[in-house]
Amino acid sequence: MALERNRAASSLALLLLLVAGAGTTGSLQPLPTKISGGGVPAMVLPLFLSSPNSTRRAAEAGYFRRRQLSTANARMRLYDDLLTNGYYTTRLFIGTPPQEFALIVDSGSTVTYVPCSSCEQCGNHQDPRFQPELSSTYKPVKCNTACTCDKTKTQCVYERQYAEMSSSSGVLGEDIISFGKESALKPQRAVFGCENSETGDLFSQHADGIMGLGRGQLSIMDQLVEKGVIHDSFSLCYGGMDIGGGAMVLGGTSDPPDMVFSRSDPVRSPYYNIVLREIHVAGKRLQLDPRIFDRKHGTILDSGTTYAYLPEEAFVAFRDAILSNLHSLKQIRGPDPNYKDICFAGAGNDVSQLSKTFPEVDVVFGNGQKLSLSPENYLFRHSKVQGAYCLGIFQNGKDPTTLLGGIVVRNTLVTYDRQNKKIGFWKTNCSELWERLHISGAPSPAPSSSSNSNSTAEISPAMAPSGLQGQFQIGLITFDMSLNITYEDLKSHVSELAELIAHELELDSHQIHLMDITSKGNDTLIRWAIFPEGSADFFSNTTARGIISRLTEHRLRLPENFGSYQLVEWNVEPPSRRTWWQQHLLAIVVGISVAVLLSFSVLLIWYFLRYKFEGLRTYRPVDSAVPEQELQPL
């Protein structure tokens, strides 16, 4: 997990860490970082409090437990953005009826936890807190010899503390966990943490909690493997520099023929490690002793860390090699004056063209296989200068550990094959992962939620069209939604509904327009249109994807008085080609209005002056006769 740290942080901070697990040895994971202003914190790898022998025994025991494994897996989408949010999240459903949560996917954590309704010190997150009393399948994990118990010796508890003093603690519960509509894996009972307290970044982050994918008894992976419902493997695929989101698979998949692998030894480190031997820049090997990448914890791969961190000697060699290959770019200051980021201006905004300016980087594994990194795998955009980029690989303070975060594996399918003790890498477009892997088969239905006021269990979300991949322009988004409320009850609340939808989609209310409304017995079918903001002709790539993602994942939360809704259909249209008159309609209307106003003003002035001068020219003698007037009563 990424952690909010000072670049000069000392490894002595590790000694301050403490973990009290429920029946597990303590494993300390760093926290997610919300990056702002381009400032990049240093990475200090957390301390793992267990002996190598105990780790070996756990790994061997897990290996011999695997039997007659199901071929089912959980296909799950990833959301958010690595550099903007500092993490990626997925949707997990807990309980009966299911309660939805946005959880940070973290291969460095061993516990899955969400805020509990009884929490007295929890922040305001993306979704409502978990309410155990509303789940008919929830059971607390009762106190036993294999866990840490609460003060009353009745229930198991967990606690996690982190280097920057963030923490999470609560009770352990067991319930049905579901993995979404695109998953072939059926809902499973699993143990998770129900938070009663959180501090630091955990308190302030937008995401609800953590999905622990590391090694450990409480890890969601270990629990599913123990049940024999999936193979002991999972895969992550992070989006690229311009496109957030991605995909995740819990369970085995068919390895692409050109996937490259590195050995990953669970005894060498409790974290997911690889054997890194060499780094090449522009085809030239950095003159480094291979042992530099095998010190302390070795080379660690962590899905929750944002950037990459090298030992001092390796970082200096890498930085110098990059600088020696950049002659046409100007070096500039970073976006945050508090950090001495290495940034370059003049490379342009097109990510696909960066390889013409920046050198290719190759990492070579212990088996001789090579993974090529494109510029988006070691650069991040400068947040204040257009066409400028900064190095996303940093020196890891005085810590000799090599840590490879999410930036290194953007648009790369990473398969953590725990059963065969190896990690695979395959360069791909993560937004098209399912098509590229040829994964087929109808997804299982979502968990039943008949008593949920906003159930969408019977509707399968539409997949994003292939036309949304890459560069595109969308001028209009339309969608049809069915509400189980009569037209008579709804018609006086249409404006309120439009504002609620705009709020849920993070849009201004004037962007939502009612196109049509039809009564269908006790249901009402409404067609909505979403227009670009202001005078824009089309949506930005990111905005369009965000809107469509929220629609297709049924993330609109409406009050109970609107009943439950279903997304029936959605569509996108390109910007309309306007005629010359349409493009200049506003200017024409303003021009005509000004001309009419001026003409009227001139006419009014002319009439007033004419009347005044005619009055001055009229002359009547003193004794001239005047018309008689009728006397008015006093």
Side-chain angles (χ1 to χ4, degrees), residues 159-441:
E159 182 178 359
R160 291 293 184 270
Q161 294 183 357
Y162 305 93
E164 83 293 5
M165 304 311 293
S166 291
S167 65
S168 171
S169 62
V171 297
L172 292 178
E174 185 181 11
D175 209 333
I176 299 294
I177 293 183
S178 311
F179 306 95
K181 299 176 183 299
E182 296 177 57
S183 173
L185 179 63
K186 295 180 180 179
Q188 302 289 328
R189 290 197 69 87
V191 176
F192 66 99
C194 200
E195 284 185 307
N196 285 326
S197 175
E198 57 186 16
T199 63
D201 288 344
L202 283 176
F203 183 90
S204 59
Q205 70 187 15
H206 186 56
D208 300 313
I210 302 296
M211 183 176 182
L213 299 172
R215 296 187 180 101
Q217 286 181 312
L218 293 180
S219 167
I220 191 70
M221 277 299 303
D222 283 67
Q223 293 187 65
L224 295 176
V225 171
E226 171 70 21
K227 291 176 178 290
V229 295
I230 64 171
H231 288 287
D232 196 3
S233 175
F234 69 94
S235 301
L236 296 172
C237 202
Y238 287 174
M241 185 176 285
D242 285 335
I243 302 175
M248 177 172 70
V249 180
L250 300 184
T253 60
S254 298
D255 296 332
D258 51 346
M259 176 173 268
V260 298
F261 292 91
S262 171
R263 185 172 182 270
S264 183
D265 186 1
V267 178
R268 170 68 177 83
S269 170
Y271 305 99
Y272 296 112
N273 58 79
I274 60 175
V275 182
L276 179 61
R277 285 290 175 262
E278 300 174 3
I279 298 178
H280 298 182
V281 176
K284 295 182 179 180
R285 175 180 175 271
L286 300 183
Q287 298 302 309
L288 297 168
D289 186 334
R291 290 177 294 182
I292 194 173
F293 302 114
D294 195 38
R295 297 173 182 169
K296 200 174 181 180
H297 292 282
T299 298
I300 303 299
L301 194 65
D302 186 4
S303 69
T305 296
T306 306
Y307 299 101
Y309 300 85
L310 301 176
E312 182 177 7
E313 183 181 351
F315 168 74
V316 171
F318 176 80
R319 178 199 63 194
D320 293 346
I322 294 292
L323 291 173
S324 66
N325 281 276
L326 297 179
H327 307 291
S328 60
L329 301 182
K330 177 184 178 183
Q331 189 168 344
I332 62 173
R333 292 180 178 273
D336 191 333
N338 294 319
Y339 301 104
K340 296 180 180 180
D341 291 321
I342 301 173
C343 304
F344 311 92
N349 293 321
D350 191 346
V351 176
S352 64
Q353 302 299 311
L354 291 182
S355 57
K356 296 180 179 180
T357 308
F358 292 92
E360 186 175 78
V361 174
D362 300 315
V363 293
V364 182
F365 303 129
N367 56 8
Q369 291 189 310
K370 179 177 66 176
L371 174 66
S372 296
L373 306 181
S374 60
E376 74 172 350
N377 296 123
Y378 63 85
L379 297 173
F380 65 92
R381 283 191 185 275
H382 197 295
S383 60
K384 297 181 180 179
V385 180
Q386 288 288 328
Y389 301 85
C390 306
L391 280 185
I393 297 181
F394 304 93
Q395 179 179 330
N396 195 12
K398 297 300 180 181
D399 194 311
T401 300
T402 299
L403 182 69
L404 304 182
I407 191 172
V408 176
V409 292
R410 290 200 284 200
N411 273 334
T412 305
L413 174 66
V414 182
T415 297
Y416 297 76
D417 188 346
R418 310 192 326 168
Q419 181 168 346
N420 296 307
K421 302 178 183 179
K422 63 181 182 179
I423 296 179
F425 302 85
W426 185 55
K427 296 293 293 183
T428 184
N429 184 335
C430 288
S431 61
E432 300 174 354
L433 178 65
W434 308 136
E435 293 81 1
R436 290 173 178 261
L437 286 179
H438 306 291
I439 295 177
S440 58

Side-chain angles (χ1 to χ4, degrees), residues 496-507:
E496 178 187 353
L497 178 60
E499 292 182 0
L500 288 170
I501 293 175
H503 175 73
E504 291 293 308
L505 295 177
E506 299 181 4
L507 301 170

Side-chain angles (χ1 to χ4, degrees), residues 33 43 50 68 74 78 98 107 122 129 154 209 222 257-259 298 343 396 416 447 468 483 509 526 530 569 594:
T33 297
M43 176 64 199
S50 64
Q68 298 179 345
L78 298 181
S107 64
C122 287
R129 299 174 184 178
T154 58
D222 283 67
D258 51 346
M259 176 173 268
C343 304
N396 195 12
Y416 297 76
L468 294 187
L483 292 165
S509 58
I526 307 179
I530 305 175
E569 183 181 3
V594 172

